[in-house]
Amino acid sequence: MPLALAPGLLLLLLLASGARGALVVSVPSSRVQTQPGSDVLLGCHFSLGVPVELMELVVQWKLGNSLVAEFDNVASYRRPGASLSQEGLQVGNASLLLPRVGGTDAGLYTCVVIVPPSRESRQVELRVEVPPHVSVWGTEVRAGEQNLVTCNVSNFYPGSVSVTWLRDGLVVGGSKTAPSQLGPTGLYSTTSILPLVPSIPEASVSYACHVQHVALGAPIQEAFRLSVLFPTSSELLAWVLLGISLGLLLLLLARVVYRGCNISMSKIHRGQCGPEGSIIVLWCEVEGRLRATDQLAWARLRPGKEPGRPGELSEPLLKGESEQYQISTWRCPLRLGRERLMSCLIICSAGSVHGPFSCTFQPGTAGRRVQERHITLSSAQGVTPDTDLSSCL
Ligand SMILES: *[C@@H]1O[C@H](CO)[C@@H](O)[C@H](O)[C@H]1NC(C)=O
Ligand SMILES: *[C@@H]1O[C@H](CO)[C@@H](O)[C@H](O)[C@H]1NC(C)=O
């Protein structure tokens, strides 16, 4: 490194000879990083091999092209609070002290030393920067609900920062980052919020809050995984209760619908009128969602046999077939599309009639149940005088 060694060797030679040599200016570090509000010393040293007369020395500090401080017989400063030490200058120390630096102090400084006819300069970069701290909050999330995961980006300088969210390495949309806020310590902070509605498998996905800032060499990636919570036991209980209530409601509905569709048949009612109960009236009813082809049929069962067995229905009583019997059937509409079908069997000379009769509901279409009711008459039965036949006929 002959170039780097050359000034040092020259200095040694000059010191040894005691003669005035070339002007050499050096800076201890070409980059100074500090945080806002702190005092900073920008180091700069010079030598000429012999003590320098202040009378012939000029020192200038520039930020970019503008003068910050100057010593030319006297010291003058453009930047409030900046200072050069006169004692320091006498021994080749041209360092500049800047108290309480802020963002406007940052930049490239030039330390210029002039001892006519020589003029030398060195540069120092002042960076007023603080890298952010990054932390992630709210990674315990509830399955199936809207959750907010928060990324705290705090205590950085300057205020410009970029926050993105990654999901398995890919940028996720929908996040919101607040503008940076200047805190009491002169540093900025911000938060970014990622709204999420996680499902259970989301727990295995790798997320990260990705922060880029000028004070960071490489972006910070605060990685995390979600812990997805199931509903708590009380919530579960509420769901179960809701489920049960819904179930009951459905049952109730089903019952209403069933009742609406169900076809119910009354038993056979009986009345007597006429002299000495010479007329017996039997009637039966069926109600429900009836079809136009549905019928009620009467039959007299073969005496001496148990009624109701298949094939034992006999003597179907058709309207007008016999003078002894008379059948009237009619329909009344009810609510909810239901109907009542009523049939009335009038038996004359009832005194001589006995034995079982049946009333059968015969559905006009397949798939519905045949229903049958029986009544047994005996000649011993008394007269019920107040039976109103007109309601039947
Ligand atoms: C140069 O002067 C400053 C004060 O202006 C002092 O803090 C610093 O220590 C001095 N540097 C050396 C190498 O003496
Ligand atoms: C994150 O930010 C919130 C809101 O600004 C704040 O309440 C919380 O203390 C911060 N947490 C950390 C660790 O900085």
Side-chain angles (χ1 to χ4, degrees):
M1 299 265 279
L3 268 175
L5 284 172
L9 276 173
L10 198 60
L11 195 61
L12 272 174
L13 283 170
L14 288 170
L15 282 171
S17 68
R20 173 174 169 160
L23 176 63
V24 177
V25 176
S26 63
V27 289
S29 54
S30 60
R31 183 188 286 182
V32 176
Q33 184 166 356
T34 190
Q35 61 181 53
S38 61
D39 301 345
V40 69
L41 184 73
L42 299 179
C44 181
H45 303 275
F46 63 91
S47 87
L48 203 58
V50 292
V52 178
E53 288 296 325
L54 286 186
M55 290 293 286
E56 51 176 348
L57 174 73
V58 174
V59 171
Q60 292 177 331
W61 277 96
K62 291 178 181 171
L63 171 57
N65 288 323
S66 51
L67 203 60
V68 175
E70 185 178 35
F71 178 82
D72 186 357
N73 287 320
V74 289
S76 61
Y77 305 99
R78 302 278 165 85
R79 195 273 194 200
S83 70
L84 290 164
S85 154
Q86 200 152 319
E87 298 77 49
L89 289 174
Q90 277 170 337
V91 295
N93 183 350
S95 300
L96 177 69
L97 181 70
L98 296 174
R100 291 183 308 283
V101 293
T104 55
D105 290 313
L108 191 59
Y109 285 80
T110 311
C111 168
V112 184
V113 180
I114 304 165
V115 183
S118 304
R119 183 184 197 279
E120 287 295 322
S121 65
R122 286 290 179 274
Q123 290 189 313
V124 184
E125 189 188 3
L126 175 62
R127 301 179 75 152
V128 183
E129 287 172 2
V130 182
H133 284 102
V134 180
S135 59
V136 173
W137 290 67
T139 58
E140 277 203 351
V141 292
R142 303 172 83 85
E145 288 179 25
Q146 166 96 290
N147 295 269
L148 300 176
V149 185
T150 306
C151 186
N152 264 23
V153 184
S154 55
N155 299 328
F156 54 89
Y157 195 93
S160 171
V161 73
S162 151
V163 184
T164 48
W165 294 82
L166 304 179
R167 181 181 187 276
D168 276 344
L170 300 172
V171 174
V172 197
S175 65
K176 287 223 157 44
T177 305
S180 299
Q181 297 285 317
L182 190 59
T185 57
L187 301 178
Y188 289 90
S189 292
T190 188
T191 52
S192 182
I193 289 175
L194 177 67
L196 278 179
V197 182
S199 53
I200 306 297
E202 201 72 358
S204 60
V205 174
S206 149
Y207 279 90
C209 176
H210 179 93
V211 178
Q212 277 175 299
H213 185 261
V214 69
L216 293 170
I220 293 180
Q221 290 218 32
E222 187 70 13
F224 63 94
R225 278 177 201 278
L226 299 173
S227 20
V228 182
L229 301 178
F230 291 95
T232 64
S233 56
S234 63
E235 281 170 336
L236 216 59
L237 188 68
W239 281 108
V240 166
L241 286 179
L242 187 69
I244 290 174
S245 325
L246 273 176
L248 285 176
L249 198 69
L250 276 175
L251 263 176
L252 205 72
L253 260 174
R255 214 180 114 113
V256 166
V257 169
Y258 173 76
R259 277 184 55 153
C261 299
N262 185 35
I263 291 170
S264 62
M265 192 174 180
S266 73
K267 46 181 199 180
I268 296 172
H269 304 283
R270 173 178 191 275
Q272 298 177 50
C273 51
E276 277 94 46
S278 59
I279 296 173
I280 291 180
V281 182
L282 300 180
W283 71 94
C284 86
E285 302 172 356
V286 66
E287 68 175 66
R289 280 182 179 271
L290 300 175
R291 318 249 162 105
T293 49
D294 291 345
Q295 288 179 0
L296 283 173
W298 290 96
R300 185 178 180 188
L301 303 181
R302 202 188 297 272
K305 294 207 173 179
E306 283 297 308
R309 287 194 190 137
E312 286 185 344
L313 274 171
S314 63
E315 290 186 53
L317 300 168
L318 298 176
K319 194 171 177 181
E321 187 193 79
S322 160
E323 282 180 9
Q324 209 180 347
Y325 307 109
Q326 199 186 335
I327 296 172
S328 286
T329 302
W330 65 103
R331 287 170 179 261
C332 316
L334 303 173
R335 284 187 303 165
L336 295 168
R338 288 160 64 88
E339 272 185 317
R340 182 179 294 148
L341 180 61
M342 290 175 280
S343 187
C344 188
L345 171 67
I346 301 159
I347 308 164
C348 301
S349 312
S352 62
V353 176
H354 57 273
F357 284 81
S358 75
C359 174
T360 309
F361 170 65
Q362 294 178 334
T365 52
R368 287 175 305 149
R369 190 163 57 95
V370 173
Q371 297 184 48
E372 198 176 305
R373 299 286 182 270
H374 299 103
I375 194 164
T376 303
L377 302 179
S378 69
S379 44
Q381 257 150 352
V383 178
T384 313
D386 53 347
T387 301
D388 186 4
L389 259 187
S390 63
S391 70
C392 177
L393 299 166

